[in-house]
Amino acid sequence: MDIIIKGLDTAIYLLSKPIYAVSKLIHWVAVIVVGLMALPVVADVLSRILFDKSILGMLEITEFAMVLIVFGAIAYTQMNKGHIDIDILVSSFSQKTQELIDVFNYIIGVSVYTILAWQLYIQIGIKGSLLSNALGLPVALFVAAAAIGMTVFAAVLLLDLLNAVSKVLKNGYYLGLIIAVLCAAFIMGLPAVLDFFSIKLSGLAMGSLGFLLMFILLMFRLPIATGMAFIGLVGMIAITGRPTAALGMAGIAPYAATASYMMMVVPMFVLMGELAFRSGISTDLFNTAYKWLGKAPGGLAMSAVAGCAGFAAVCGDSIATAVTMGTVSLPEMKKKKYAPSLATGCIASGGTLGILIPPSTGFIFYAIVAEESIGKLFMAGIIPGILLTTLFMSYIYIACKRNPALGPPGEPATMKEKLVALKGVIGMLLLIILILGGILSGLFSPTEGGAVGAFGAFLFALAKRSINKEVLISALQSTLRVTCMLMAILIGVAILGYFLAATRMPHQLAEFVATLEVGRYVVFLAICLLYIALGCVMNIIPIILLTLPALLPTVLALGFDVIWFGVVTILLMQMGQITPPVGINAFAVSGVAKDVPIHTIFKGIFPFLLCIIFLVVILTIFPQLAIWLPNTLM
């Protein structure tokens, strides 16, 4: 056994240097591409405005750039353990069990991404003579870039597997290792098992079994992207009875899901939020809000919520909004002796505004899956976002008015100080006017709005002298990490989508629900509870990508408006992100307020949770609050 362990360690040593070196090299290519990506888009917008002429091949430029960004950084993201998984069950297991589960998961991951890389290389030959329509570039060149990136990703996972196996062997878990390997082999061989026993399942049963197995695997910390891709591959083999169709799909899906003009919104809006954060917009927003609201009961807490709403308009992410505003405002509330429950509760809840107030990454991915207008969904989130901010602030005011010990009033500010403080919202307002104004006026599309906003945030950071080489590189690397996390899941969704289409499960489920002799609001309530439960354990984007393809046909069959349902969906997921036992925002805030127990944070969140429930009820009764603005303006 010592010889085997020594051999493993030698292999790890010899392989790690070249694999990590290549991973870092192509990662820097992705850093450069994402840093330059906004420039041609902005140039194209300006060219249309000034000369009524578009730059040749803009669609192809952005599509090929997305391939270089995603497949250039996907392996480096794995090196830094950046891919999303669900860790609420496995972390409670013994260290031995966790290590064996890691071996199982890495076997699945290496298998899946080796197959994807292999099929991408086959696609190079298939597309060998194909040239892009506008620029005449060889498409095979960019398919090759995707194949290389996927190969390096699989190689990094292989190193992780070898390290995990070495650790298990050193700890003497020999029987456990054999069991982990056999379990992985059994799961991967399920189609052969079904065929051997001549088990024939209907499309609905096969799709349901696939979803059940996927959620079990995800609960055992298999990365979400890997789990979806794996079930898609295995499911396609099982339902067709042969691997040919599944392997062909595996070669098409990764590139097709990535080389998309619409996907440009993901890195660009993320980059805009990163640059806005580093330019100090969050601090400026909080200080401005405090000058105007500080002297009221709970003024600091209301300022924090107002700051969350403002930062949400340039960020689009719930956790980032909560952590950013918590870092700025929690020390001040602690200094003023605010009740810890109110201080942390308002930040965790206010952070959820990041996925409701546009631009929102939640709305972007909902629009992609639902094939709806991103601009309409952005508009639909404005009034509910304002209403929810108002409800949060109203609760704080009433609670602190009745019990001043919760949040004592701060120092009053003169009118001159208030007016001077307004310069702190200039950055936010300029970005909002730039993005939403440009979209509504037709100067550019919502897809282009991300690039324009990122460029605007960069110029604002330059004007404030808050950016340098190190800050810019940090923002670009963070953008790549988030983009790769999300795009990896989207690749998994694309592969899973082929399987779902083959089973026809979503449509059969919709037909079944439509024939049930229950009111449509009973089904809607069940969907609400599902989203709240899922929101407790995972981020909003995976939830949308996991569930919407299956649920949307049902929602449409029941006669609900797709834009309205998008807003309600985001609200329900907001609730999940602050609901026990695993409210992600609550734990994010606990990382900032390390001296506040988690149960105190959840106690402070509860009244804000009631505010969200109240707004969901209001939107259900008056759906026009969500759909009036997009129907009027777009």
Side-chain angles (χ1 to χ4, degrees):
M1 191 56 65
D2 289 341
I3 295 175
I4 295 175
I5 294 172
K6 190 175 291 186
L8 269 176
D9 290 343
T10 302
I12 292 167
Y13 175 77
L14 292 174
L15 290 172
S16 59
K17 286 189 177 181
I19 290 173
Y20 289 156
V22 173
S23 177
K24 289 176 182 177
L25 176 63
I26 61 177
H27 161 259
W28 280 110
V29 172
V31 168
I32 294 169
V33 174
V34 80
L36 297 175
M37 191 176 188
L39 297 180
V41 180
V42 173
D44 184 53
V45 170
L46 290 175
S47 178
R48 292 203 308 267
I49 294 172
L50 298 176
F51 309 112
D52 197 26
K53 188 175 182 181
S54 186
I55 294 176
L56 179 67
M58 270 307 305
L59 286 176
E60 292 175 4
I61 291 171
T62 53
E63 287 171 358
F64 292 149
M66 282 300 302
V67 172
L68 296 176
I69 287 169
V70 174
F71 292 101
I74 194 169
Y76 190 79
T77 303
Q78 177 61 31
M79 278 176 57
N80 293 279
K81 301 296 180 284
H83 289 289
I84 302 174
D85 56 34
I86 302 170
D87 192 8
I88 62 170
L89 180 64
V90 176
S91 58
S92 64
F93 295 164
S94 68
Q95 187 64 34
K96 171 185 174 180
T97 305
Q98 291 189 46
E99 290 172 3
L100 293 172
I101 289 172
D102 286 341
V103 170
F104 171 88
N105 288 339
Y106 285 134
I107 292 172
I108 300 293
V110 170
S111 303
V112 167
Y113 294 110
T114 299
I115 290 172
L116 295 186
W118 165 39
Q119 291 302 311
L120 279 167
Y121 283 113
I122 292 175
Q123 288 295 312
I124 296 173
I126 294 173
K127 299 183 184 296
S129 59
L130 183 63
L131 300 178
S132 63
N133 294 328
L135 300 176
L137 296 174
V139 175
L141 183 65
F142 295 95
V143 178
I148 291 169
M150 191 66 81
T151 302
V152 180
F153 181 28
V156 171
L157 282 167
L158 177 61
L159 280 175
D160 289 337
L161 172 60
L162 294 177
N163 275 304
V165 171
S166 177
K167 187 186 297 185
V168 166
L169 290 176
K170 287 173 183 175
N171 290 327
Y173 306 148
Y174 309 132
L175 179 59
L177 178 61
I178 294 171
I179 293 172
V181 172
L182 290 176
C183 286
F186 175 77
I187 292 291
M188 290 188 291
L190 270 178
V193 173
L194 294 176
D195 183 60
F196 180 80
F197 289 103
S198 301
I199 299 174
K200 301 295 182 183
L201 299 175
S202 67
L204 182 60
M206 187 72 78
S208 301
L209 178 63
F211 258 95
L212 176 63
L213 180 58
M214 181 176 67
F215 276 106
I216 291 173
L217 292 173
L218 296 186
M219 287 299 106
F220 279 87
R221 210 162 60 186
L222 184 69
I224 293 172
T226 306
M228 298 173 84
F230 173 69
I231 293 300
L233 278 169
V234 172
M236 277 294 289
I237 294 172
I239 202 165
T240 59
R242 60 189 190 281
T244 311
L247 293 176
M249 169 269 297
I252 296 170
Y255 184 83
T258 308
S260 168
Y261 175 73
M262 183 176 285
M263 289 300 105
M264 174 182 66
V265 299
V266 179
M268 291 296 95
F269 273 120
V270 172
L271 180 58
M272 182 183 74
E274 291 288 339
L275 292 172
F277 165 62
R278 285 164 172 80
S279 68
I281 281 182
S282 55
T283 303
D284 293 341
L285 288 171
F286 176 72
N287 291 337
T288 301
Y290 182 61
K291 289 295 182 185
W292 284 86
L293 302 170
K295 74 172 185 177
L300 269 173
M302 287 196 291
S303 301
V305 170
C308 285
F311 190 70
V314 294
C315 175
D317 181 71
S318 172
I319 296 174
T321 301
V323 171
T324 301
M325 292 309 303
T327 304
V328 173
S329 61
L330 282 173
E332 293 299 318
M333 286 191 269
K334 184 176 181 181
K335 194 184 302 180
K336 297 292 182 183
K337 301 190 183 307
Y338 269 59
S341 58
L342 176 66
T344 54
C346 75
I347 293 295
S349 305
T352 64
L353 295 168
I355 55 173
L356 178 62
I357 296 176
S360 159
T361 51
F363 280 140
I364 289 170
F365 277 90
Y366 181 93
I368 290 168
V369 176
E371 297 181 352
E372 275 295 331
S373 163
I374 295 175
K376 280 190 173 184
L377 283 156
F378 279 2
M379 294 301 105
I382 292 177
I383 292 177
I386 293 172
L387 286 174
L388 189 57
T389 304
T390 304
L391 287 171
F392 284 173
M393 294 173 68
S394 299
Y395 158 71
I396 293 170
Y397 179 84
I398 294 169
C400 294
K401 185 77 172 175
R402 296 180 61 186
N403 182 8
L406 286 174
E411 299 83 5
T414 65
M415 182 55 67
K416 180 180 178 181
E417 289 174 328
K418 291 180 180 180
L419 293 175
V420 170
L422 287 176
K423 68 180 182 181
V425 302
I426 291 175
M428 179 201 71
L429 289 176
L430 286 177
L431 285 175
I432 292 174
I433 292 170
L434 178 67
I435 298 167
L436 296 185
I439 292 172
L440 290 175
S441 64
L443 292 177
F444 47 80
S445 68
T447 304
E448 295 167 323
V452 174
F455 188 71
F458 175 72
L459 293 180
F460 180 74
L462 275 181
K464 288 195 67 179
R465 298 181 181 179
S466 58
I467 197 165
N468 53 35
K469 179 183 174 182
E470 289 73 23
V471 170
L472 179 59
I473 289 175
S474 176
L476 293 174
Q477 289 180 325
S478 183
T479 298
L480 279 177
R481 180 182 59 81
V482 175
T483 300
C484 282
M485 287 189 326
L486 300 178
M487 292 303 298
I489 293 173
L490 200 64
I491 291 171
V493 168
I495 296 171
L496 183 66
Y498 281 95
F499 168 57
L500 291 179
T503 64
R504 298 195 73 252
M505 187 191 80
H507 300 286
Q508 290 180 12
L509 188 62
E511 292 172 0
F512 171 73
V513 171
T515 60
L516 289 177
E517 295 183 0
V518 295
R520 64 176 185 157
Y521 288 102
V522 175
V523 180
F524 173 65
L525 178 60
I527 294 173
C528 290
L529 295 175
L530 171 66
Y531 275 140
I532 293 170
L534 289 175
C536 292
V537 298
M538 67 177 80
N539 194 281
I540 179 174
I541 308 302
I543 298 173
I544 290 174
L545 297 178
L546 274 169
T547 63
L548 203 59
L551 288 179
L552 194 59
T554 300
V555 172
L556 296 178
L558 293 172
F560 290 113
D561 182 90
V562 68
I563 298 294
W564 168 85
F565 184 71
V567 176
V568 173
T569 296
I570 297 299
L571 278 168
L572 294 170
M573 293 179 194
Q574 282 183 263
M575 291 172 62
Q577 294 201 313
I578 55 174
T579 305
V582 193
I584 294 173
N585 271 29
F587 284 97
V589 170
S590 73
V592 179
K594 295 185 179 357
D595 58 331
V596 181
I598 191 66
H599 64 82
T600 301
I601 299 176
F602 279 124
K603 178 184 175 183
I605 283 170
F606 183 71
F608 298 99
L609 190 64
L610 295 179
C611 292
I612 300 177
I613 294 172
F614 179 69
L615 183 57
V616 171
V617 173
I618 292 297
L619 286 176
T620 304
I621 298 172
F622 304 107
Q624 288 298 322
L625 289 171
I627 60 179
W628 174 77
L629 199 58
N631 288 345
T632 303
L633 297 179
M634 302 193 73

